[in-house]
Amino acid sequence: MSTRLIAETSNATSSTCPRRLGPAASILLRPCSLPCKPFSGRSPLRSNIQLPGAPASRQLVKSLTAVETVAPVSPPAASPATGGKPTPSQAYPFAEIEAKWQAYWEEHQTFRTPDQVDTSKPKYYVLDMFPYPSGAGLHVGHPEGYTATDILARYKRMCGCNVLHPMGWDAFGLPAEQYALQTGTHPADTTARNVARFRQQLKALGFSYDWGREVATTDPEYYRWTQWIFLQLLQRGLAYRAEVPVNWCPALGTVLANEEVIDGLSERGGHPVVRLPMRQWMLRITAYADRLLGDLEGLDWPDSVKDMQRNWIGRSEGAEVQFALQGGPGSSLSSPSSSSSSSSSTTSVSVFTTRPDTLLGVTYLVLAPEHPLVGQLAAGGRREEVQAYVDAAARKSDLERTELQKDKTGADTGSFALHPVTGELLPVWVADYVLGSYGSGAVMAVPAHDPRDHEFAVRFGLPVKQVVAPPSDAVANNSDAAPVTLPYTEPGIAVHSSCGSLSLDGLPTADAGAAVVAWLEERGLGRRQVQYKLRDWLFARQRYWGEPFPLVYPEGSDEAVPLPESQLPLTLPDTDQFRPSGTPESPLAAITEWVNTVDPRDGVTPARRETSTMPQWAGSCWYYLRYISPRCPTSLVDPAAERYWMPVDLYVGGAEHAVLHLLYARFWHKVLYDLGVVSTPEPFRRLVSQGMILGEVEYTGFRQPGSGEWVEEGAQGAEQVKLSEAEVERRGDGYVLRADPRVRVSARAHKMSKSRGNVVNPDDVVAAFGADSLRLYEMFMGPLRDTKVWSTRGVEGVHRFLARVWRLFEGGVSEEEPCREQLRLLHATIKKVGVETEEMRFNTAIAAMMEFVNGATKTWSNRPRKALEPFLLLLSPYAPHLAEELWSRCGHPATLAYEPWPTADESLLAVEEVNLPVQVNGKTRGTVVVAAAAPQEEALAAALAAPNVSKHVGGGSIKKVIYVPGKILNVIVAPAK
């Protein structure tokens, strides 16, 4: 029976090694003073951990990372996680254990990665996607990815790697500003409180972050370098101002990004959004389109994410074609002087097409409502109709105009375009299925070979001309084709496609397209072109709570002048005037003492600051670099440290960031690579997107109002009735009402949301079952990448497993030598857990540990140290608090965080003897114990010696023996005569 011991350090604890108790430490071994019965398996618990501290005050010029204390946490509230107020489990004293080890890690800075590391050791940079610290705090979906990265971080430390595992805050943005407007509090105040709340919750879950590297985008010492990066973009011509259509939300008083608009309403608040032109700062991400596309190939990312990025970039090869325009009666557009070519005085419109081979099938042109020529093209009698249509389109989102619009709409401008080949007049329409943000905002409509154009032509009675036929349908001379269902969109053979000097009939699609491009280029009417769906990045917001642009405009000039680096950071004014003005201008425009300044070049000329701020995306584009050297005063990242740590080895986050954040971050990283600031062309080597955690299954029945009769789901007029789990039971592949099994019950899990009331607060789960149980359960639910359904019973199950681990060590460990079977079970577990952890198959790694505990509990009569202590090392990345406590109680004074990961002894895994199933004529008649590699003769002799096998063989003759060593023996016997 070993003595229960813990380590206590005096004030003389060594400062040379923050991770361990150094040799200078005065280590006193004494019985544990925790208020629990030693190894009884039961202990009174505190229902809540009170952390001392006070809320952070607002200091815009100070880093949020300096806020180290938080307000005391209230007792856990009622939650769906436990069906009411949590009742803490008494299975083992997890509350005391977890509080103790979190305090230990904090005091000893166990997971602090020194600024100077031994670069001869391998490195592992494991990163979580930058969280936004909302006032609601974490829900149980957040810790899923964080737990996965923490397991890898702890595992890699034990494998001998230098590990970088940081955390910080993406703290600028619209939500904090809107909350401030609603409550009258300053965004800095709410952000500081939210950060403190998130930090406390993350620490309570035992994540091994290096909190010494914590950063926040709202820290001026951080956004100083965000501003510096912008200036480099400006200097390289990658930042510019342009008048572009934007999403203006009058209620929120700001411009919104496309992704912040859903069905014409703001994502936050559901307010109407209109499109209007505004002069805005843009980033020329399109200049990097080919590199962003090509470099995807070398990344260890999910194929689905790569495909999403490829589709977003949308590279298309085709041709740009010029169409001369002819104004209709009463339009303000001048008419061309020639019907066959464009002169310098002729107004024309360019279109991009991926199918130049269909040029002779064009029957009309369509312009986007925001196209600058729409107003000029509107003929006198159609001007009001066209303007009304343009105004209506301005109230729709791009999604509504494309994916969601079922019926095509449009307006005839009354003007015409001249076909560049035939010279015929083509009507010009305006329609909102064409977007001004894609290509030139104009399309040549080929309704016979494009579904959208065909739908539009049918709707408005416009001509449809087939110019491509399937190869098998074209007639011998390729001048005509058999009937085919239109629109026909596949490659084929050109038909009806000869006019003057351009003859395409009979040519395959690729050859016909090349001939058209050559014809257009020869006459100056078009050219070969590569087009991208990717648009330049709208990089300005009319908000207060964001990074200020380090730019001024001298009096009388519209030319932006950058601030010198010595004047960075340009900080936000500490003001309460952050309410929108009701105009598209930023609230900063009203703060005259901040706006009015001087030209930095002479220090005298009056100037105005840029009053837009950067989008929330800005700070999250490069934060992974600042973690490497967060206090570096001379550059955004220390060059030597960057060369060692980059790229990020593992990046984990939600699939909702698969395109925009990742695309923006890759763009900025490539610019920094070109500047020589970073040493790698890509920031994230491996990407993993965790699946969503849905709320608990909800059970619903359906009743007719009045009669109360139970009916099938979908019955007219039926009312939903929520049922408890106790009221239903499983029948076959569905559920029925327990009181009346004839009534079928709907059972569904939904995304967690406040409106459904199914949000599970991790604080409640931790209070009831402990952080280790929450961590373990979220990894045991299923593969990390899958969508999973929350179940409180599942948490209880893994909690019982941890209690069994606790009881396995009850009474201590012995110094007896383990037997071979004990070592075999241990080393099989070491191998399995190591492989599964490395491959991020955490659920199967946990299953292997459960099998170990089952085997040890049921079959071991003793508790050998050499067979049990290595198991604690396997468990420690998953349930670190319990593993640390048991490791300590086994007599180890220091943390196990840097103990070497166990190595499996393959010789112990070799199977020496097996229970060999024996069949006679295909039916199993018994088993025999033989050597794993026993030859057939030996296995057969052992089988025939078994009474039941011998009986069924009887006097028959053996015709054939089928033998798979270690697996099966089948004796084929002819019946006795």
Side-chain angles (χ1 to χ4, degrees), residues 696-750:
E696 295 222 38
V697 173
E698 299 176 13
Y699 302 96
T700 309
F702 300 86
R703 269 183 151 154
Q704 288 290 1
S707 68
E709 179 186 358
W710 292 101
V711 294
E712 291 292 323
E713 181 178 1
Q716 187 174 3
E719 293 179 340
Q720 291 189 15
V721 179
K722 284 192 174 182
L723 302 168
S724 68
E725 189 175 2
E727 294 177 280
V728 302
E729 64 180 40
R730 181 136 198 166
R731 288 286 177 89
D733 59 351
Y735 288 85
V736 297
L737 194 66
R738 188 182 298 276
D740 185 354
R742 295 171 300 174
V743 178
R744 293 185 64 83
V745 173
S746 169
R748 292 192 182 98
H750 301 270

Side-chain angles (χ1 to χ4, degrees), residues 325-344:
L325 298 174
Q326 179 173 303
S331 73
S332 59
L333 189 72
S334 60
S335 299
S337 58
S338 169
S339 63
S340 60
S341 64
S342 298
S343 67
S344 59

Side-chain angles (χ1 to χ4, degrees), residues 420-497:
V421 180
T422 68
E424 61 186 309
L425 293 177
L426 308 174
V428 178
W429 285 67
V430 56
D432 61 10
Y433 77 87
V434 178
L435 301 178
S437 59
Y438 179 66
S440 63
V443 300
M444 62 178 217
V446 187
H449 305 291
D450 182 279
R452 297 182 309 165
D453 296 344
H454 186 268
E455 186 181 345
F456 191 87
V458 171
R459 169 76 172 78
F460 293 103
L462 295 165
V464 178
K465 180 183 177 183
Q466 182 184 357
V467 292
V468 182
S472 61
D473 290 345
V475 298
N477 63 5
N478 293 313
S479 63
D480 208 342
V484 64
T485 301
L486 298 179
Y488 175 70
T489 60
E490 299 300 318
I493 301 296
V495 295
H496 309 307
S497 295

Side-chain angles (χ1 to χ4, degrees), residues 11-41:
N11 294 332
T13 301
S14 169
S15 61
T16 59
C17 182
R19 302 186 187 91
R20 301 171 180 263
L21 300 177
S26 172
I27 303 174
L28 305 177
L29 299 180
R30 61 176 178 82
C32 177
S33 60
L34 293 176
C36 60
K37 298 176 182 178
F39 281 96
S40 67

Side-chain angles (χ1 to χ4, degrees), residues 65 68 109 111-112 115 209-215 630-631:
T65 60
E68 295 296 343
Q109 295 290 289
F111 307 113
R112 180 77 173 93
D115 295 331
Y209 293 123
D210 179 354
W211 289 104
R213 294 175 183 268
E214 184 180 2
V215 299
R631 309 294 172 250

